[in-house]
Amino acid sequence: MPSPASRKKKPFFPREGAQSPYSVAQQRYAALGVDSDAALLALAQIPLSLPCWQGDDVQGFEPSKLPLSGGIAATGSYPGRARTLQELRQDLEFALSLIPAKHRLNLHASYGDFGPTAVPRDAIEPEHFQSWITWAKTLGIGLDFNPTLFSHPKAVDGFTLSHPSKAIRKFWIEHAIRSRRIGAAMGRALHAPSVTNLWIPDGSKDSPADRLAPRKRLADSLDEIFAENLRGTLDSLEPKLFGIGSESYVVGSHEFYLAYALSRKKLLCLDSGHYHPTENVADKITSLLQFFPQLLLHLSRGIRWDSDHVVIQNDELLAITREIIANRLQSRVRIGLDSFDASINRVAAWVIGARATQRALLIALLEPTQALREAENQGDPTGRLALQEEIKALPFGAVWERFCEIHQVPPDHQWIAKVRRYEADVLARRS
């Protein structure tokens, strides 16, 4: 009589000629009316804008480095931080080699190729970013841009464009004007519009006596910044619920920028870490796109009251990507990542965040949207809910592996080994 051990099922190994995991997944999705090949093609057309500041803890390359301020804090001291422009580009190129498809880079104004001579922020020019443009052309990627209104002597009291001092406001207005011109130059040179996104730290730790005057000054400053019509850039404004040092009052609140951007025909930036933890950021997308031609989306992961953690494939991310894809809004939502985690390998942080976002987008692209909407339109919430649950078990992982294979990047169980080797060979040598 066979022993209990001999009666155990043997591991399954596909016989020669057996279907590949992707072929099996393809058939499963086809049975629900989903074309997985089309989903792979669509995913390749959605670029993500990687944050340059993840690679060096928001230090930048201005000759005189100042401590981070303006509510910016990168915690941790993991070894291997990029210290020079060349090291940052090296790390970015390696990260991009592990992320399927073509993407973009999001630059802050403090990351110019300034050399040893200090360049005041109100004097920056496109020439200080020409080497970035050349680098991007070589890689075939686009660039986005951000004025840097923090970590500066003229921002230490927490106010910039809404500052009571006209001279300080003028300094930051000029910086923002020049940043728009740089973004426009990047867009024209790369034949792809650059999103120039403005975030400011302005606000108060305690309740102010006057909430109106700073907002009036900010509106006037913005009108001056946007007075020049530029080709090659898309202007965006980024609100925040609160920040470090602005716990009680943020001048550029969601309501302020929503009204300003809509009235001035600018993009509004939704940063998923800039809202109350119970707010549904996904729900804001279809509401705002009733009135905005386009939105900018910054994906970060808020934990309690802190944002800017590395993006992971969680329920919030899945809800956001589903809202975009199910409503065919991918051409109207520009997606960037926004993290600066210094507690883990910084190259891995880029890869983890980007691949998590791509997987979430793929899951949305593989959703049987038509079947779900048919159930909803027929007044069948039971069928809709049942299908929403059943599709969670579909083999999207095999489709993702196929996407990685098509774009010649390692699958999920292999890329981390490459990062470990890079860490040993490159990052560990940086002292």
Side-chain angles (χ1 to χ4, degrees), residues 276-330:
H276 191 281
T278 61
E279 282 190 88
N280 182 1
V281 176
D283 189 52
K284 301 179 187 298
I285 295 171
T286 48
S287 295
L288 292 169
L289 285 176
Q290 297 295 314
F291 309 100
F292 284 88
Q294 295 187 65
L295 292 175
L296 174 62
L297 179 62
H298 274 190
L299 295 175
S300 64
R301 177 166 50 106
I303 297 181
R304 294 185 173 86
W305 286 103
D306 185 32
S307 62
D308 304 313
H309 294 260
V310 176
V311 175
I312 61 173
Q313 187 184 306
N314 57 12
D315 289 344
E316 183 182 18
L317 180 62
L318 289 167
I320 288 171
T321 55
R322 185 208 171 274
E323 195 72 10
I324 294 170
I325 299 300
N327 295 290
R328 299 180 181 179
L329 299 172
Q330 51 265 49

Side-chain angles (χ1 to χ4, degrees), residues 188-378:
R188 292 193 299 270
L190 298 171
H191 307 291
S194 171
V195 177
T196 303
N197 181 56
L198 178 66
W199 175 84
I200 62 174
D202 298 35
S204 299
K205 187 174 185 68
D206 271 322
S207 296
D210 185 357
R211 293 173 180 266
L212 178 61
R215 285 176 173 149
K216 176 65 169 64
R217 292 193 291 265
L218 175 56
D220 291 343
S221 295
L222 293 174
D223 284 344
E224 193 169 344
I225 290 167
F226 296 129
E228 183 179 10
N229 289 323
L230 293 171
R231 181 176 58 85
T233 186
L234 298 172
D235 299 309
S236 177
L237 296 158
E238 181 177 351
K240 194 166 186 175
L241 176 65
F242 96 106
I244 300 172
S246 59
E247 290 85 353
S248 296
Y249 171 61
V250 172
V251 182
S253 65
H254 177 75
E255 294 77 12
F256 176 92
Y257 280 137
L258 172 61
Y260 186 91
L262 188 61
S263 63
R264 296 339 191 248
K265 295 181 171 48
K266 306 300 178 186
L267 273 66
L268 185 69
C269 174
L270 300 180
D271 188 305
S272 57
H274 285 191
Y275 296 90
H276 191 281
T278 61
E279 282 190 88
N280 182 1
V281 176
D283 189 52
K284 301 179 187 298
I285 295 171
T286 48
S287 295
L288 292 169
L289 285 176
Q290 297 295 314
F291 309 100
F292 284 88
Q294 295 187 65
L295 292 175
L296 174 62
L297 179 62
H298 274 190
L299 295 175
S300 64
R301 177 166 50 106
I303 297 181
R304 294 185 173 86
W305 286 103
D306 185 32
S307 62
D308 304 313
H309 294 260
V310 176
V311 175
I312 61 173
Q313 187 184 306
N314 57 12
D315 289 344
E316 183 182 18
L317 180 62
L318 289 167
I320 288 171
T321 55
R322 185 208 171 274
E323 195 72 10
I324 294 170
I325 299 300
N327 295 290
R328 299 180 181 179
L329 299 172
Q330 51 265 49
S331 65
R332 298 176 60 193
V333 180
R334 294 174 175 267
I335 304 175
L337 307 184
D338 189 356
S339 67
F340 41 96
D341 189 340
S343 69
I344 63 174
N345 183 301
R346 296 166 185 82
V347 174
W350 276 316
V351 181
I352 291 168
R355 289 173 69 122
T357 302
Q358 288 184 294
R359 282 197 304 273
L361 287 164
L362 180 60
I363 291 170
L365 286 163
L366 292 169
E367 180 184 274
T369 304
Q370 183 176 349
L372 287 165
R373 289 185 172 174
E374 283 178 1
E376 184 168 286
N377 293 335
Q378 292 168 8

Side-chain angles (χ1 to χ4, degrees), residues 16-28:
E16 186 175 350
Q19 287 184 309
S20 69
Y22 176 68
S23 296
V24 174
Q26 189 178 39
Q27 293 173 35
R28 292 279 304 278

Side-chain angles (χ1 to χ4, degrees), residues 43-66:
L43 182 58
Q45 301 303 312
I46 305 176
L48 307 177
S49 194
L50 302 187
C52 74
W53 49 90
Q54 171 60 69
D56 77 329
D57 309 340
V58 209
Q59 296 295 308
F61 301 120
E62 293 170 317
S64 55
K65 293 186 184 297
L66 293 167

